[in-house]
């Protein structure tokens, strides 16, 4: 899944921000780490210079010892450093953390042993199918040679002495694994290598042997058994004389039945899961003593759920199969289990996703297993927590920007305070996130990814909390017992501290402290498990765990909000005292959930909800007999008062580190576009950002954000064809360690291009309250085709198209029904060239997604294959699906359509609400369309003042 997975989106974490880290490395020079494209599961990395294509010569972004001393894997924010110093043996020992992710590279320092000397990685198991090798029975060897496909392997006599026939073989290919360097598994610079693999069965079970050094022989190779049995791994190297391991560590998994073996290679060709595992539980990473993750004593299960070559997406049923495997493994080995899932996608209908229900059911059936999930990186907009972080009984974790990353270190000064990261998802329709933790870390990555040890996103906040839970469980084990998941959850949440100026929507309960959480557990507080649902009534259309009125109160009398609360764990009913943290919510004094649903009625004071902006109030329910235990649950309420754009809106303010100023803007259905603008007047303008979110909460589909970066002003413009009527949210964010003074403006065009028909014929309407002079122009910008898509189950859908010679970019829009989105965990969108090499991937993060590829950046000119790959939450059977795909080829230089008067524009006066239709000359015959495509015309209407109105349309 893609968050960032994440992922799926990950949202553009760290977009446009440059983090400079001064370090005392061998060169003595500073390194500037610049943002690169989003990576799966919740974070982007930074591209650091690499010394060489040879993995043995590559250098980390910063010397690891310096990174450790500088606190670049932050452990102080939650008091982990103090806790481990006070209780050195309570470091996760006896606990296993399941990492459901892109894989874990077991060959790295940091994953060899726990702090107590035990095996760090207990098992590696692939549920993605990405490493599946199709096997077939081989012909008997000819003397000392065996043939696999068209490839011959000499030196087989040694293997034949270990196991008698039948032998099975298959080919492991680099090309399906994505792009360089991840797919270059032997590090020779090519991603088109193929490696023969032979499988046989000895007295101790199945094993695999392969030509790791490319010498055409296997007499010098070591047979590799299933990782669960022998903890064996291998790597491919570029030549027989190569020194050291190859760039990618590989383990093997065997399965199958009486028809023969099934073989999966397990590897991390993303680096995401390896990085996550290091944050949670790494020990002596990079070979540096004491460079540890949060819980260095904990064991790790590496559970691969992702097809990394398709953008890190989960595959159908992989999450369910992985979490079921983990719980069975933990029970078999009598180990307490914490699960970490740093993956997710955007919610279309909060509280309705199938994977949420599956995880909630799993949590209730396994009350001893805590599930920790990243909240997502679509912030700072409201109602952006992704699923399955939206699962009610999972811990959804938001991200902090650690102060050490906010600005270059300065001698003699402490780093700035941690602040809520701008990219961290916020609540709205959900009473999420639950907790917040550092969301940037220096951690383990596979050798092929050396140089990208620093990665940000909520993907890396979640393992901080998973590691903290392992510390607490380790402390309970020392006392001869274990804690229930609900106890760990409540201990962390009820001892957390909310940063000043933040609300529940930003950080949930806040930043936990491990020492305080342990004291909570030792106090024997009794935590109950409650289900909370806000009833959709009046202005609240949410079906989630919080009341969210994005369109304000439906009427002056719309002041009632009801919540249904159910005690679901069979614990004795407790009388709960309710308390509101704002004066505009009136709550009853007490309530007593008694195993059946109880309705709690809240009343809003409408007179205090008139100021444009967002109003957030939380009602906390505490046990009357144990007030000090903290809230058993919270009723979160949000009322938005939008700003009308009947006239242009402008304001100004100041904003400090970690702050967000939100502006909610009413946009009607007939709007000719939308323009929002930020002008930085004072302060560190280079790091200030402007964001825009659609009425659903989804990041604006064209451009989500812009960064000032020294510019006088920046803006986001929404064209008419992308306008969605409703309440948009614009957000201004300062740099993480600086203040800004700024001006914000928002306006609608005074005219609207209401239609563009064949001809082309253009209709334009005056939406201003006065007569206007309008300048109208049209130009050919490219060609488009729209086609229905669909299929049955998780079988890929493909479409092949030919690039026209004039094309500069290709834009692919995929739209699915919103209700269908609830049943998936991912939806891959990948473009390949005619040889099968991947050009680009950008999985859907919502039911609508847009992917743009610059064709000029490619050496390749030829057919393009588009693949759509759905992934379902359940194990099956899988339903049929359908949707729509639009493919646009765009010109580098649009072709203007002259008017009948020989000019490139026409001038017309329009009275108030008056509409006129104009006909431009036809598209020149010299513009050659690809087969099945139609012409895209862009029409622009300008007035003397106000934003420009733009609409693109497809015509015959």
């Amino acid at each position: 899944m893609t968050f960032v997975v994440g992922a799926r989106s990950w949202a553009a974490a760290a977009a446009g921000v440059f983090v400079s880290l001064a370090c005392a490395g061998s060169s003595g020079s500073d390194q500037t780490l610049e943002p690169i494209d989003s990576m799966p599961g919740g974070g982007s990395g930074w591209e650091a210079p690499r010394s060489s294509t040879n993995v043995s010569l590559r250098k980390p972004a910063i010397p690891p010892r310096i990174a450790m001393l500088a606190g670049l894997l932050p452990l102080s924010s939650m008091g982990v450093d103090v806790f481990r110093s006070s209780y050195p043996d309570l470091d996760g020992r006896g606990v296993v953390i399941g990492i459901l992710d892109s894989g874990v590279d077991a060959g790295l320092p940091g994953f060899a042993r726990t702090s107590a000397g035990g095996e760090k990685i207990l098992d590696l198991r692939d549920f993605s199918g990405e490493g599946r090798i199709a096997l077939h029975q081989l012909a008997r060897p000819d003397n000392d040679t065996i043939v696999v496909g068209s490839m011959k392997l000499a030196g087989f006599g040694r293997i034949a002495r270990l196991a008698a026939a039948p032998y099975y073989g298959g080919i492991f290919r680099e090309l399906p694994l994505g792009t360089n360097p991840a797919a270059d598994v032997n590090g020779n610079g090519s991603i088109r290598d193929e490696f023969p693999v032979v499988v046989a069965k000895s007295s101790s079970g199945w094993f695999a042997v392969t030509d790791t050094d490319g010498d055409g022989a296997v007499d010098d190779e070591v047979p590799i058994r299933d990782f669960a049995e022998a903890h064996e791994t291998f790597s491919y190297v570029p030549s027989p004389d190569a020194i050291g391991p190859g760039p990618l560590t590989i383990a093997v998994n065997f399965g199958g039945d009486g028809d023969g073996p099934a073989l999966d290679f397990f590897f991390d060709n993303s680096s995401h899961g390896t990085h996550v595992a290091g944050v949670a539980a790494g020990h002596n990473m990079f070979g540096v003593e004491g460079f540890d993750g949060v819980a260095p004593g904990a064991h790790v299960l590496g559970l691969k759920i992702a097809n990394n070559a398709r953008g890190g997406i989960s595959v159908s049923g992989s999450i369910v199969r992985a979490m079921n495997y983990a719980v069975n493994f933990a029970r078999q080995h009598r180990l307490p289990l914490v699960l970490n899932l740093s993956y997710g996608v955007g919610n279309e209908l909060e509280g309705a996703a199938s994977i949420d229900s599956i995880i909630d059911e799993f949590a209730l059936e396994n009350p001893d297993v805590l599930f920790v999930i990243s909240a997502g990186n679509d912030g700072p907009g409201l109602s952006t927590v992704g699923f399955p972080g939206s699962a009610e009984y999972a811990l959804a974790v938001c991200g902090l920007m650690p102060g050490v990353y906010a600005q270059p270190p300065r001698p003699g000064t402490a780093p700035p305070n941690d602040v809520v990261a701008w990219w961290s998802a916020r609540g709205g329709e959900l009473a999420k996130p639950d907790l917040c933790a550092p969301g940037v870390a220096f951690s383990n990555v596979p050798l092929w990814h050396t140089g990208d040890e620093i990665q940000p996103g909520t993907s890396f906040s979640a393992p901080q909390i998973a590691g903290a839970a392992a510390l607490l469980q380790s402390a309970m084990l020392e006392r001869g017992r274990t804690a229930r998941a609900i106890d760990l959850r409540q201990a962390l949440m009820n001892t957390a501290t909310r940063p000043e100026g933040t609300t529940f929507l930003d950080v949930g309960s806040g930043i936990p402290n491990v020492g305080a959480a342990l004291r909570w557990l030792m106090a024997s507080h009794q935590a109950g498990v409650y289900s909370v649902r806000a009833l959709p009534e009046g202005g609240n259309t949410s079906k989630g765990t919080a009341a969210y009125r994005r369109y304000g109160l439906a009427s002056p009398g719309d002041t009632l909000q009801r919540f249904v609360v159910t005690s679901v764990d069979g614990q004795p009913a407790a009388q709960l005292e309710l308390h509101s943290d704002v004066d505009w919510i009136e709550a009853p004094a007490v309530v007593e959930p008694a195993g059946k649903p109880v309705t709690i009625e809240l009343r809003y004071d409408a007179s205090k909800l008139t100021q444009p902006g967002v109003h957030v109030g939380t009602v906390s329910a505490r046990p009357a007999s144990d007030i000090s235990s903290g809230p058993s649950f919270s009723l979160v309420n949000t009322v938005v008062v939008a700003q009308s754009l009947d006239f242009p809106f402008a304001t100004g303010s100041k904003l400090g580190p970690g702050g967000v100023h939100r502006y909610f803007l009413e946009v009607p259905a007939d709007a000719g576009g939308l323009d929002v603008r930020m002008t930085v007047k004072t302060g560190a303008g280079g790091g200030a950002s402007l964001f825009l979110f659609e009425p659903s909460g989804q990041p604006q589909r064209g451009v989500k954000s812009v960064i000032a970066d020294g510019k006088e002003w920046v803006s986001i413009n929404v064209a008419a064809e992308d306008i969605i009527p409703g309440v948009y949210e614009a957000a201004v964010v300062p740099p993480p360690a600086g203040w800004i003074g700024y001006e914000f403006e928002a306006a609608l065009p005074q005219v609207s291009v209401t239609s563009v028909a064949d001809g082309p014929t253009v209709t334009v309407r005056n939406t201003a309250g006065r007569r206007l002079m309008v300048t109208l122009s049209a130009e050919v910008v490219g060609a488009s085709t729209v086609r229905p898509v669909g299929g049955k189950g998780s079988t890929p859908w493909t479409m092949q198209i030919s690039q026209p010679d004039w094309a500069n970019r290709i834009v692919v829009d995929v739209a699915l029904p919103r209700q269908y989105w609830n049943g998936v965990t991912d939806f891959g969108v990948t473009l390949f060239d005619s040889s099968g090499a991947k050009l680009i991937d950008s999985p859907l993060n919502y039911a609508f997604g847009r992917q743009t590829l610059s064709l000029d950046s490619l050496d390749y000119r030829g057919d393009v294959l588009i693949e759509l790959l759905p992934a379902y939450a359940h194990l099956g059977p899988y339903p049929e699906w359908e949707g729509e795909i639009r493919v646009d080829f765009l010109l580098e230089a649009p072709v203007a359509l002259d008017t009948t008067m020989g000019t490139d524009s026409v001038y017309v006066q329009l009275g108030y609400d008056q509409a006129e239709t104009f006909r431009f000359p036809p598209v020149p015959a010299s513009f050659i369309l690809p087969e099945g495509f139609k012409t895209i015309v862009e029409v622009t209407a300008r007035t003397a003042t106000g934003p420009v109105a733009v609409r693109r349309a497809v015509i015959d």
Side-chain angles (χ1 to χ4, degrees), residues 919-951:
R919 186 180 182 88
F920 284 85
V923 175
S926 58
F927 182 64
I928 307 300
L929 291 170
E931 184 178 355
F933 280 70
K934 296 181 180 181
T935 304
I936 307 173
V937 171
E938 181 175 281
V939 178
T940 303
R942 294 179 172 84
T943 55
T945 59
V948 173
V950 178
R951 180 181 289 277

Short mmCIF file of all heavy atoms in Angstrom, two decimals, residues 919-951:
data_model
loop_
_atom_site.label_atom_id
_atom_site.label_comp_id
_atom_site.label_asym_id
_atom_site.label_seq_id
_atom_site.Cartn_x
_atom_site.Cartn_y
_atom_site.Cartn_z
N ARG A 919 -17.30 30.40 -32.08
CA ARG A 919 -16.76 29.28 -32.85
C ARG A 919 -15.36 29.62 -33.33
O ARG A 919 -15.15 30.66 -33.97
CB ARG A 919 -17.66 28.95 -34.04
CG ARG A 919 -17.23 27.69 -34.81
CD ARG A 919 -18.16 27.40 -35.97
NE ARG A 919 -17.78 26.19 -36.67
CZ ARG A 919 -18.21 24.97 -36.35
NH1 ARG A 919 -19.05 24.82 -35.34
NH2 ARG A 919 -17.81 23.91 -37.03
N PHE A 920 -14.40 28.76 -33.00
CA PHE A 920 -13.03 28.93 -33.47
C PHE A 920 -12.83 28.10 -34.73
O PHE A 920 -13.58 27.14 -34.98
CB PHE A 920 -12.05 28.48 -32.39
CG PHE A 920 -11.89 29.47 -31.26
CD1 PHE A 920 -12.78 29.47 -30.20
CD2 PHE A 920 -10.87 30.41 -31.28
CE1 PHE A 920 -12.65 30.38 -29.16
CE2 PHE A 920 -10.73 31.33 -30.24
CZ PHE A 920 -11.61 31.32 -29.18
N PRO A 921 -11.83 28.42 -35.53
CA PRO A 921 -11.54 27.61 -36.72
C PRO A 921 -11.21 26.18 -36.32
O PRO A 921 -10.77 25.93 -35.19
CB PRO A 921 -10.33 28.31 -37.34
CG PRO A 921 -10.39 29.70 -36.82
CD PRO A 921 -10.96 29.61 -35.44
N PRO A 922 -11.42 25.24 -37.22
CA PRO A 922 -11.15 23.83 -36.89
C PRO A 922 -9.66 23.57 -36.63
O PRO A 922 -8.80 24.35 -37.03
CB PRO A 922 -11.65 23.07 -38.11
CG PRO A 922 -11.69 24.07 -39.20
CD PRO A 922 -11.95 25.40 -38.58
N VAL A 923 -9.41 22.45 -35.98
CA VAL A 923 -8.04 22.04 -35.69
C VAL A 923 -7.32 21.78 -37.01
O VAL A 923 -7.88 21.14 -37.92
CB VAL A 923 -8.04 20.78 -34.81
CG1 VAL A 923 -6.61 20.26 -34.60
CG2 VAL A 923 -8.73 21.06 -33.49
N PRO A 924 -6.07 22.25 -37.16
CA PRO A 924 -5.36 22.03 -38.42
C PRO A 924 -5.24 20.56 -38.78
O PRO A 924 -5.02 19.71 -37.91
CB PRO A 924 -3.97 22.65 -38.15
CG PRO A 924 -4.18 23.61 -37.03
CD PRO A 924 -5.29 23.05 -36.20
N ALA A 925 -5.38 20.26 -40.06
CA ALA A 925 -5.31 18.88 -40.52
C ALA A 925 -3.92 18.29 -40.31
O ALA A 925 -3.75 17.07 -40.28
CB ALA A 925 -5.68 18.81 -42.01
N SER A 926 -2.92 19.16 -40.15
CA SER A 926 -1.55 18.68 -39.96
C SER A 926 -1.35 18.06 -38.58
O SER A 926 -0.32 17.40 -38.35
CB SER A 926 -0.57 19.85 -40.13
OG SER A 926 -0.87 20.90 -39.21
N PHE A 927 -2.30 18.26 -37.64
CA PHE A 927 -2.19 17.68 -36.31
C PHE A 927 -2.69 16.23 -36.39
O PHE A 927 -3.88 15.97 -36.52
CB PHE A 927 -3.01 18.48 -35.30
CG PHE A 927 -2.91 17.95 -33.88
CD1 PHE A 927 -1.71 17.97 -33.21
CD2 PHE A 927 -4.02 17.41 -33.25
CE1 PHE A 927 -1.61 17.48 -31.92
CE2 PHE A 927 -3.94 16.92 -31.97
CZ PHE A 927 -2.71 16.94 -31.30
N ILE A 928 -1.77 15.28 -36.35
CA ILE A 928 -2.07 13.87 -36.56
C ILE A 928 -2.39 13.22 -35.22
O ILE A 928 -1.59 13.25 -34.27
CB ILE A 928 -0.89 13.13 -37.23
CG1 ILE A 928 -0.48 13.86 -38.51
CG2 ILE A 928 -1.26 11.69 -37.50
CD1 ILE A 928 -1.59 13.94 -39.54
N LEU A 929 -3.56 12.59 -35.14
CA LEU A 929 -4.00 11.94 -33.92
C LEU A 929 -3.62 10.47 -33.91
O LEU A 929 -3.72 9.80 -34.95
CB LEU A 929 -5.53 12.05 -33.79
CG LEU A 929 -6.11 13.44 -33.53
CD1 LEU A 929 -7.63 13.38 -33.68
CD2 LEU A 929 -5.74 13.91 -32.13
N PRO A 930 -3.21 9.93 -32.77
CA PRO A 930 -3.05 8.47 -32.67
C PRO A 930 -4.41 7.79 -32.85
O PRO A 930 -5.46 8.39 -32.59
CB PRO A 930 -2.51 8.27 -31.24
CG PRO A 930 -2.04 9.61 -30.79
CD PRO A 930 -2.87 10.61 -31.52
N GLU A 931 -4.39 6.56 -33.27
CA GLU A 931 -5.64 5.83 -33.49
C GLU A 931 -6.44 5.74 -32.19
O GLU A 931 -5.91 5.39 -31.12
CB GLU A 931 -5.33 4.43 -34.01
CG GLU A 931 -6.58 3.63 -34.36
CD GLU A 931 -6.25 2.26 -34.91
OE1 GLU A 931 -5.05 1.97 -35.11
OE2 GLU A 931 -7.19 1.48 -35.14
N GLY A 932 -7.73 6.08 -32.29
CA GLY A 932 -8.61 6.01 -31.13
C GLY A 932 -8.57 7.23 -30.24
O GLY A 932 -9.25 7.26 -29.20
N PHE A 933 -7.80 8.26 -30.61
CA PHE A 933 -7.68 9.47 -29.80
C PHE A 933 -8.46 10.62 -30.42
O PHE A 933 -8.73 10.64 -31.62
CB PHE A 933 -6.21 9.88 -29.65
CG PHE A 933 -5.45 9.09 -28.61
CD1 PHE A 933 -5.16 7.74 -28.82
CD2 PHE A 933 -5.04 9.69 -27.45
CE1 PHE A 933 -4.46 7.01 -27.88
CE2 PHE A 933 -4.34 8.97 -26.49
CZ PHE A 933 -4.05 7.63 -26.70
N LYS A 934 -8.80 11.59 -29.57
CA LYS A 934 -9.45 12.82 -30.01
C LYS A 934 -8.63 14.01 -29.55
O LYS A 934 -7.75 13.89 -28.69
CB LYS A 934 -10.86 12.90 -29.43
CG LYS A 934 -11.80 11.80 -29.93
CD LYS A 934 -13.20 11.97 -29.35
CE LYS A 934 -14.13 10.87 -29.85
NZ LYS A 934 -15.51 11.03 -29.31
N THR A 935 -8.93 15.17 -30.10
CA THR A 935 -8.15 16.38 -29.83
C THR A 935 -8.52 17.00 -28.48
O THR A 935 -9.70 17.06 -28.13
CB THR A 935 -8.37 17.41 -30.94
OG1 THR A 935 -8.05 16.82 -32.19
CG2 THR A 935 -7.50 18.64 -30.72
N ILE A 936 -7.50 17.45 -27.75
CA ILE A 936 -7.73 18.22 -26.53
C ILE A 936 -7.53 19.70 -26.85
O ILE A 936 -6.48 20.10 -27.36
CB ILE A 936 -6.74 17.84 -25.40
CG1 ILE A 936 -6.73 16.35 -25.15
CG2 ILE A 936 -7.09 18.60 -24.11
CD1 ILE A 936 -5.65 15.91 -24.17
N VAL A 937 -8.56 20.48 -26.56
CA VAL A 937 -8.50 21.92 -26.75
C VAL A 937 -8.56 22.58 -25.38
O VAL A 937 -9.40 22.21 -24.54
CB VAL A 937 -9.64 22.43 -27.64
CG1 VAL A 937 -9.69 23.95 -27.66
CG2 VAL A 937 -9.46 21.91 -29.06
N GLU A 938 -7.69 23.55 -25.16
CA GLU A 938 -7.72 24.33 -23.92
C GLU A 938 -8.19 25.74 -24.23
O GLU A 938 -7.63 26.42 -25.09
CB GLU A 938 -6.33 24.37 -23.28
CG GLU A 938 -6.28 25.15 -21.97
CD GLU A 938 -4.93 25.07 -21.31
OE1 GLU A 938 -4.66 24.03 -20.66
OE2 GLU A 938 -4.15 26.05 -21.44
N VAL A 939 -9.23 26.16 -23.53
CA VAL A 939 -9.81 27.49 -23.71
C VAL A 939 -9.50 28.34 -22.49
O VAL A 939 -9.65 27.88 -21.35
CB VAL A 939 -11.33 27.41 -23.93
CG1 VAL A 939 -11.93 28.80 -24.07
CG2 VAL A 939 -11.64 26.56 -25.17
N THR A 940 -9.06 29.58 -22.73
CA THR A 940 -8.71 30.49 -21.65
C THR A 940 -9.54 31.76 -21.78
O THR A 940 -9.64 32.33 -22.88
CB THR A 940 -7.22 30.85 -21.71
OG1 THR A 940 -6.45 29.65 -21.65
CG2 THR A 940 -6.83 31.76 -20.56
N ALA A 941 -10.14 32.19 -20.68
CA ALA A 941 -10.92 33.44 -20.64
C ALA A 941 -10.28 34.36 -19.60
O ALA A 941 -10.19 34.00 -18.42
CB ALA A 941 -12.37 33.15 -20.30
N ARG A 942 -9.86 35.54 -20.06
CA ARG A 942 -9.20 36.50 -19.17
C ARG A 942 -10.05 37.75 -19.01
O ARG A 942 -10.70 38.19 -19.95
CB ARG A 942 -7.83 36.90 -19.72
CG ARG A 942 -6.81 35.77 -19.75
CD ARG A 942 -5.49 36.26 -20.33
NE ARG A 942 -4.43 35.27 -20.20
CZ ARG A 942 -4.23 34.28 -21.05
NH1 ARG A 942 -5.03 34.15 -22.11
NH2 ARG A 942 -3.26 33.41 -20.85
N THR A 943 -9.99 38.31 -17.80
CA THR A 943 -10.61 39.60 -17.53
C THR A 943 -9.56 40.55 -17.00
O THR A 943 -8.43 40.14 -16.70
CB THR A 943 -11.76 39.45 -16.50
OG1 THR A 943 -11.24 38.80 -15.33
CG2 THR A 943 -12.89 38.61 -17.08
N ALA A 944 -9.90 41.81 -16.86
CA ALA A 944 -8.92 42.81 -16.44
C ALA A 944 -8.40 42.54 -15.04
O ALA A 944 -7.24 42.82 -14.72
CB ALA A 944 -9.53 44.21 -16.50
N THR A 945 -9.25 41.98 -14.19
CA THR A 945 -8.84 41.64 -12.83
C THR A 945 -9.31 40.23 -12.51
O THR A 945 -10.20 39.69 -13.15
CB THR A 945 -9.43 42.61 -11.80
OG1 THR A 945 -10.87 42.58 -11.89
CG2 THR A 945 -8.96 44.05 -12.05
N GLY A 946 -8.72 39.63 -11.49
CA GLY A 946 -9.15 38.30 -11.05
C GLY A 946 -8.45 37.18 -11.77
O GLY A 946 -7.75 37.40 -12.77
N PRO A 947 -8.64 35.96 -11.29
CA PRO A 947 -7.97 34.80 -11.88
C PRO A 947 -8.45 34.52 -13.31
O PRO A 947 -9.54 34.92 -13.71
CB PRO A 947 -8.37 33.64 -10.95
CG PRO A 947 -8.86 34.29 -9.70
CD PRO A 947 -9.43 35.61 -10.10
N VAL A 948 -7.61 33.82 -14.05
CA VAL A 948 -7.94 33.38 -15.39
C VAL A 948 -8.81 32.13 -15.31
O VAL A 948 -8.59 31.25 -14.46
CB VAL A 948 -6.64 33.07 -16.17
CG1 VAL A 948 -6.95 32.45 -17.52
CG2 VAL A 948 -5.82 34.34 -16.34
N ALA A 949 -9.82 32.04 -16.17
CA ALA A 949 -10.66 30.85 -16.25
C ALA A 949 -10.13 29.97 -17.37
O ALA A 949 -9.94 30.42 -18.50
CB ALA A 949 -12.11 31.22 -16.52
N VAL A 950 -9.87 28.68 -17.03
CA VAL A 950 -9.31 27.74 -18.00
C VAL A 950 -10.14 26.47 -17.99
O VAL A 950 -10.56 25.99 -16.93
CB VAL A 950 -7.84 27.40 -17.65
CG1 VAL A 950 -7.28 26.37 -18.64
CG2 VAL A 950 -6.98 28.65 -17.64
N ARG A 951 -10.42 25.93 -19.18
CA ARG A 951 -11.08 24.63 -19.28
C ARG A 951 -10.49 23.86 -20.44
O ARG A 951 -10.34 24.40 -21.54
CB ARG A 951 -12.59 24.78 -19.47
CG ARG A 951 -13.31 23.41 -19.59
CD ARG A 951 -14.80 23.57 -19.82
NE ARG A 951 -15.48 24.05 -18.66
CZ ARG A 951 -15.90 23.31 -17.64
NH1 ARG A 951 -15.66 22.00 -17.65
NH2 ARG A 951 -16.53 23.85 -16.63
#
